[in-house]
Amino acid sequence: MGEAVEEFLARPQLDRDTTHSYRQTLGRLCAELGAPVPLASLAAIDPDPWLRAKAASNPDLSAPLLAALADDPDSGVRTAAVGNVRLPSSLLHRLATGDPCIWVRAAAADNPAVTVDILLALAADEVMAVRSAAAKSAALTAEVAVALVDDPDYRVQARLAGNLHCPPAVLATLARSRCPVQVRREVAQNPHCARALLKGLGRDRSAWVRQCAAWGQ
């Protein structure tokens, strides 16, 4: 543990509770050091939601504190908590499928521990931003990609087309001429786009898509 952290933790309890400089210093150390556990434990119970969010993102935070932050009244804190890889699957599922804040639900897609079931739920969300988060998730599977390929919002399709984990068959579907030009362009820019598909996009009616396909080849 660094000298600055040890010095800070040695401050008297009264000083911690009553001075503005205490919170300023805690915030600075959390920002500079990534909220190491001794600081994160203090930040987790601080009145400042920014500090609680820093604590919620720490994968080494104790389970009880992380669970408490997952229920925090501040949506920014819950957003940080839902992205924590150590968040229990039951809490991750609850936040992803039932939190009233769209950004909390969307952030669940970026959790490295996100499951296919959760991504499928996000893919069926009524809000475009949440479905878009599922479409760009690094945990994308063929099943989730198929659920999103005919999304009514082209922005979701474009996110899906740009995902490096998007299956070749889904990329081929998104390259169809009836798909919006923004979607076809993303297919052409995907490094995993098959050469045969790039060749076809090289004859696209959009010069924008043709240019991207040429760069890809």
Side-chain angles (χ1 to χ4, degrees):
M1 188 164 54
E3 182 177 335
V5 175
E6 292 181 350
E7 180 181 346
F8 176 79
L9 294 174
R11 296 174 70 164
Q13 185 65 43
L14 181 63
D15 184 36
R16 294 186 187 184
D17 292 341
T18 60
T19 65
H20 179 63
S21 64
Y22 159 74
R23 186 162 290 115
Q24 286 184 317
T25 304
L26 178 57
R28 178 178 59 79
L29 290 173
C30 284
E32 292 176 356
L33 305 176
V37 173
L39 297 182
S41 297
L42 294 174
I45 56 175
D46 195 274
D48 188 337
W50 182 85
L51 287 172
R52 298 200 305 275
K54 291 294 293 184
S57 64
N58 188 321
D60 295 320
L61 189 68
S62 70
L65 284 177
L66 181 55
L69 293 172
D71 280 328
D72 196 276
D74 188 275
S75 62
V77 177
R78 299 196 307 277
T79 298
V82 81
N84 193 316
V85 69
R86 296 289 180 85
L87 188 70
S89 58
S90 59
L91 291 178
L92 177 58
H93 187 276
R94 178 166 62 79
L95 290 173
T97 60
D99 196 277
C101 177
I102 64 173
W103 305 119
V104 174
R105 303 199 303 273
D110 292 328
N111 190 311
V114 69
T115 63
V116 173
D117 287 347
I118 292 175
L119 283 179
L120 286 172
L122 297 175
D125 197 280
E126 63 181 12
V127 178
M128 179 280 299
V130 178
R131 302 196 306 275
S132 184
K136 71 179 182 65
S137 174
L140 184 77
T141 64
E143 185 179 4
V144 177
V146 168
L148 289 163
V149 69
D150 290 319
D151 193 277
D153 195 304
Y154 80 88
R155 290 169 292 183
V156 175
Q157 291 183 315
R159 286 285 195 178
L160 181 61
N163 193 317
L164 298 180
H165 303 283
C166 189
V170 173
L171 284 177
T173 300
L174 294 170
R176 295 174 299 185
S177 60
R178 69 180 179 85
C179 286
V181 61
Q182 297 93 333
V183 177
R184 304 197 307 276
R185 181 198 65 163
E186 289 296 327
V187 174
Q189 291 181 320
N190 192 313
H192 295 166
C193 183
R195 184 167 296 275
L197 192 55
L198 280 174
K199 186 175 180 180
L201 290 169
R203 299 188 295 271
D204 194 275
R205 64 180 181 273
S206 166
W208 194 19
V209 175
R210 294 197 302 273
Q211 185 177 48
C212 290
W215 289 338
Q217 296 182 74

